[in-house]
Amino acid sequence: MRSLEPQQTLDGSGTYRNPELGELYHTKSGAVTESIEKYSKPLKVWLKESPVILDICFGLGYNSAAAIDLIRSNNNNSRIRIYCFENDTRILEKALDASPGFESYSLIQRFVKNFLEKKEAKFVDQNVELVMLFGDAREQIRNVKGEADFAFLDPFSPGKQPELWEKELMQDIYNALSEQGSLATYSFARKVRDNLESAGFKVLPGPVIGRRSPSTLAFKYKKTL
Ligand SMILES: C[S@@+](CC[C@H](N)C(=O)[O-])C[C@H]1O[C@@H](n2cnc3c(N)ncnc32)[C@H](O)[C@@H]1O
């Protein structure tokens, strides 16, 4: 396996380039900005009491950290549970050295360290429960049954990783979400929206951050902007 190459993004935060796919783990316009603005913020994760989140394609864990920070900074001190889906230990190892500036990042790092060094998949501290579902997200998703409130879907691009944007995974995410569940993803590709809709989601455009097209929000219930 080749090593990941560090890359600075335009908001000053760091990410990596995956050498096999030739793609960054975040948008070059800003890794931390992307994780806050495209996932937790548009889904308003802090409004839910005891939120359960699916962080699909966890990587450096920025999306989870942004969620914890936003929930806590909005005075929501309830229990947070995050199921983290990842299949590559190389990027988890990089999380141990990253310093993206999230308040909660040391929690993420202790969780990842325990997973890598002691094979402990579950970590609980400060009323936050983090669960590593290591392996192919398309299989691991079936271990979560209708209990999640939010899903962050953050694979490499549909062009490089089409298998993670297929209807089948969208359907399994739909089933893993509760009746009031919602999803955010950075891609606004037609095929992505079509697959989300055929899985049963109602799809809306998300914010425009660092690129010309919006991201995508998907809801199990009817919602208008
Ligand atoms: C675009 S990056 C996401 C970055 C991440 N959200 C972060 O904050 O760093 C995609 C991630 O998905 C992981 N991945 C790729 N295929 C996967 C699969 N089949 N199952 C689970 N994770 C996968 C990659 O290893 C990578 O970490």
Side-chain angles (χ1 to χ4, degrees):
M1 280 274 217
R2 292 153 70 187
S3 52
L4 311 185
E5 302 148 23
Q7 173 96 28
Q8 186 92 346
T9 67
L10 292 176
D11 67 359
S13 60
T15 189
Y16 285 86
R17 178 179 298 278
N18 181 287
E20 289 84 24
L21 298 178
E23 204 163 276
L24 294 183
Y25 284 73
H26 295 90
T27 172
K28 59 177 178 299
S29 70
V32 162
T33 307
E34 172 176 51
S35 60
I36 298 168
E37 301 294 336
K38 289 187 188 164
Y39 296 92
S40 288
K41 248 198 196 169
L43 295 180
K44 299 189 172 70
V45 294
W46 58 90
L47 295 181
K48 180 77 183 63
E49 184 74 11
S50 304
V52 177
I53 297 172
L54 309 176
D55 185 353
I56 303 167
C57 296
F58 177 83
L60 296 168
Y62 286 6
N63 297 344
S64 287
I68 298 167
D69 279 10
L70 269 170
I71 291 166
R72 293 296 186 243
S73 65
N74 280 281
N75 292 321
N76 179 339
N77 293 312
S78 63
R79 178 90 162 181
I80 302 170
R81 180 186 297 160
I82 308 181
Y83 291 106
C84 306
F85 299 79
E86 182 50 59
N87 72 347
D88 189 346
T89 53
R90 286 177 304 173
I91 190 70
L92 296 177
E93 279 156 14
K94 298 297 183 193
L96 302 182
D97 299 324
S99 41
F102 295 108
E103 284 271 318
S104 59
Y105 205 64
S106 68
L107 206 80
I108 299 287
Q109 288 175 314
R110 281 184 286 134
F111 158 60
V112 169
K113 194 169 193 292
N114 272 6
F115 174 73
L116 290 173
E117 290 178 3
K118 300 189 206 150
K119 299 281 165 263
E120 283 174 17
K122 190 166 146 180
F123 178 86
V124 188
D125 192 22
Q126 297 169 31
N127 220 13
V128 178
E129 179 181 333
L130 296 160
V131 182
M132 182 64 72
L133 294 174
F134 191 83
D136 191 337
R138 292 170 297 171
E139 288 159 22
Q140 293 289 350
I141 189 71
R142 303 202 173 118
N143 292 318
V144 185
K145 301 254 180 288
E147 59 168 304
D149 303 296
F150 306 104
F152 306 152
L153 180 60
D154 194 10
F156 292 110
S157 68
K160 297 282 171 142
Q161 230 188 357
E163 69 278 10
L164 286 188
W165 300 93
E166 293 296 341
K167 186 194 157 191
E168 199 183 3
L169 177 59
M170 310 296 191
Q171 189 74 66
D172 287 330
I173 298 172
Y174 187 93
N175 294 337
L177 287 166
S178 71
E179 283 313 305
Q180 292 300 307
S182 53
L183 171 151
T185 187
Y186 69 88
S187 175
F188 195 61
R190 158 68 62 191
K191 187 170 171 255
V192 171
R193 285 179 286 145
D194 285 351
N195 286 347
L196 283 164
E197 276 172 358
S198 60
F201 285 102
K202 282 104 189 151
V203 172
L204 290 173
V208 179
I209 310 282
R211 57 205 316 240
R212 257 173 305 170
S213 58
S215 60
T216 297
L217 304 176
F219 300 85
K220 278 184 85 161
Y221 54 98
K222 194 165 167 46
K223 180 168 171 87
T224 46
L225 280 179

